């Protein structure tokens, strides 16, 4: 009974209902198929899960071994036992990779396979219905796994021996080993493909990455809001604003290009690839002079010559929108216009927006005796909190990501998962900033004055005095934000991110089952959120205990 009293009451209700839920999923094929689809359990999931458990267990022991080496004089008993078990476990795993490779290879093959580009990689055999790696590639993967396990065993052994090193190299070596083993564990937990639970992995990873980035952004906004203006702040930022506006004016004053619409509007109009979207829309929606009130269909052409040739060679094309210099065939001119090319127009608009925004912040800060960046951070927090999360996800995930891709010539082409994480991070950073600000303001100002009297800098005061106390104060609301973030990852399904919600929608559309997919997804989300809530409650108790 004493152990039951430590469990949250809401979790007790879930534990009481667990037998009925398990019975439902075990006896109903509809719910069992829904569970498999939403969790993302793929082919050969059992052997893959066994290999994952073995490798991640050794990775955890290896990290604890490196951790123990850094704190060997004050390490608790469980950490010493883990450190002692790390090397035998690593050696056993290395031996098993030679003696019983079937234990580890399913997971290694799965991770390597999904790290490749499935549509373009030459290492994948696509002759059968189920795509697999070529046998010689599997052999190379096995050899690579054995080399990696041997190297990891050497790292663990070095961690045990490095405890006897003397300064100044001891600290650097131990920190490097801890970072190395931590990176291996991080890859297995947050980067490697989980064939046995892909849907859960994507949901958790999206929430955790978004939580970390939003916390960092929140601290940045709070830090900016704490900036104080100095004597030359207004002059400095006003000069920067005017400089940006001057650069914008320079781009706006660049030579314009002249285009003509020739031929007739009876059929499609050929548009040269690279023509500004605004000009193409003017033609498509009939907004040019003499167009009337009708819309026109357009067709893409590689260059002006090809656009004019389409008038003669393609029956459905009757006109073309080309540069004036390219029009030498004598087609009747329907409309002529001049405009600034995108290579000048886009930077001109970007510099104009940033210059005007910074000038506005500078003027506002000067009137209220605030730093312009502090005004900007406050403006961001107030604005983002007023926009629904779904709108932020759609805005960042679709037009903004596309604009970044176009501006960089395809150099930055983010995946849908990355777009979604950035969107949730931006959206929640405003709430994180308010939470951090409330925690920081709860610290008595006398402690800040004491830090200054001790000669601490502004950054040292924040790092050593303010943040450690503020983080303990805001631990409960930060936990609530994480729970909310887990649920809001379901919105990423609008970007086709295949988390649990997207898999639920795909399975429901394929099976036409009315209730089983939705009930299963709801149960899984409840289990996830209650489990995380219990973990966060444990952290709160630990924090409260440390405070005492």
């Amino acid at each position: 009974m004493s152990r039951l009293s430590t469990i949250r009451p809401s979790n007790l209700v879930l534990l009481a209902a667990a037998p009925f839920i398990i019975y439902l999923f075990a006896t109903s094929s509809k719910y069992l198929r829904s569970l498999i689809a939403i969790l993302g359990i793929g082919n050969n999931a059992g052997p893959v899960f066994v290999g994952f458990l073995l490798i991640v267990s050794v990775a955890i022991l290896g990290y604890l071994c490196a951790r123990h080496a850094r704190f060997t004089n004050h390490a608790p008993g469980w950490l010493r036992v883990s450190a002692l078990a790390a090397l035998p476990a690593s050696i056993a795993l290395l031996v098993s990779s030679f003696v019983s490779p079937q234990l580890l290879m399913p997971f290694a093959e799965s991770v390597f396979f999904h790290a490749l580009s499935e549509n373009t990689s030459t290492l994948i055999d696509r002759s059968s219905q189920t795509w697999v790696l070529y046998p010689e590639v599997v052999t190379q993967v096995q050899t690579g796994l054995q080399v990696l396990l041997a190297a990891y065993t050497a790292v663990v052994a070095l961690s045990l021996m490095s405890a006897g090193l003397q300064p100044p190299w001891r600290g650097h070596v131990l920190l490097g080993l801890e970072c190395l083993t931590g990176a291996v564990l991080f890859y297995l937990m947050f980067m490697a493909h989980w064939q046995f639970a892909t849907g859960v992995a994507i949901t958790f990873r999206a929430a955790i990455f978004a939580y970390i980035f939003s916390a960092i952004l929140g601290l940045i906004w709070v830090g900016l809001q704490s900036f104080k203006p100095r004597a030359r702040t207004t002059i400095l930022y006003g000069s920067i604003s005017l400089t940006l506006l001057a650069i914008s004016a320079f781009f706006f004053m660049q030579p314009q290009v002249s285009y003509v619409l020739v031929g007739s509007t009876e059929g499609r109009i050929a548009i040269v690839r690279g023509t500004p979207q605004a000009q193409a829309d003017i033609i498509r929606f009939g907004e040019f002079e003499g167009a009337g009130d009708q819309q026109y269909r357009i067709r893409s052409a590689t260059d002006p010559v090809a656009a004019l040739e389409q008038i003669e060679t393609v029956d459905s094309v009757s006109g073309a929108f080309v540069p004036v210099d390219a029009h030498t065939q004598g087609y009747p001119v329907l409309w002529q216009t001049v405009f600034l090319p995108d290579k000048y127009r886009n930077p001109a608009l970007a510099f104009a927006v940033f210059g005007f925004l910074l000038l506005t912040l500078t003027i506002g800060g000067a009137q209220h005796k605030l730093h312009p960046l502090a005004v900007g951070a406050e403006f961001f927090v107030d604005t983002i909190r007023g926009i629904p999360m779904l709108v932020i996800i759609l805005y960042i995930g679709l037009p903004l990501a596309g604009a970044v891709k176009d501006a960089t010539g395809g150099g930055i082409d983010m995946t849908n998962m990355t777009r979604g994480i950035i969107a949730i991070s931006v959206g929640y950073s405003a709430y994180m900033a308010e939470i951090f600000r409330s925690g920081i303001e709860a610290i008595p100002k006398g402690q800040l004055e004491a830090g200054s009297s001790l000669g601490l800098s502004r950054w040292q005061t924040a790092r050593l005095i303010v943040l450690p106390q503020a983080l303990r104060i805001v631990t409960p609301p930060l936990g609530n934000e994480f729970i909310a973030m887990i649920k809001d990852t379901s919105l990423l399904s609008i970007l086709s991110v295949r988390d649990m919600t997207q898999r639920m929608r795909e399975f429901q559309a394929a099976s036409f089952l009315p209730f089983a997919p939705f009930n299963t997804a709801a149960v899984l989300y409840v289990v996830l959120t209650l489990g995380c809530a219990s973990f966060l409650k444990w952290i709160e108790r630990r924090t409260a205990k440390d405070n005492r």
Side-chain angles (χ1 to χ4, degrees), residues 438-456:
S438 64
I440 291 173
E441 290 182 350
I443 307 300
K445 293 184 178 179
Q447 296 192 22
L448 306 181
E449 297 171 356
S452 301
S453 64
L454 292 174
L456 298 179

Side-chain angles (χ1 to χ4, degrees), residues 500-511:
M500 294 198 303
T501 301
Q502 177 65 12
R503 291 173 183 273
M504 175 201 71
R505 294 172 58 184
E506 293 174 358
F507 179 75
Q508 197 279 331
S511 63

Side-chain angles (χ1 to χ4, degrees), residues 405-488:
K405 181 181 177 181
D406 294 339
T408 58
I412 300 179
D413 187 10
M414 296 178 288
T415 63
N416 290 338
M417 177 82 164
T418 304
R419 299 178 187 187
I421 290 174
I422 293 175
I424 293 181
S425 302
V426 171
Y428 269 93
S429 67
Y431 301 96
M432 290 286 200
E434 288 299 283
I435 292 173
F436 287 131
R437 186 176 63 82
S438 64
I440 291 173
E441 290 182 350
I443 307 300
K445 293 184 178 179
Q447 296 192 22
L448 306 181
E449 297 171 356
S452 301
S453 64
L454 292 174
L456 298 179
S457 65
R458 183 183 177 88
W459 164 245
Q460 289 175 324
T461 302
R463 183 170 63 88
L464 301 176
I465 297 177
V466 177
L467 288 181
Q469 299 181 77
L471 289 177
R472 288 179 180 175
I473 294 173
V474 301
T475 297
L478 287 179
N480 291 336
E481 290 300 303
F482 182 68
I483 299 297
M485 209 171 289
I486 289 179
K487 294 186 292 183
D488 276 354

Side-chain angles (χ1 to χ4, degrees), residues 295-310:
Q295 298 184 6
Y296 300 98
R297 292 182 298 170
I298 62 176
R299 178 187 173 96
S300 177
T302 55
D303 53 51
V305 175
L308 293 170
E309 286 180 355
Q310 288 187 9

Side-chain angles (χ1 to χ4, degrees), residues 4-15 530:
L4 287 178
S5 63
T6 62
I7 303 176
R8 289 165 54 90
S10 56
N11 288 11
L12 282 176
V13 176
L14 182 64
L15 288 176
L530 286 181

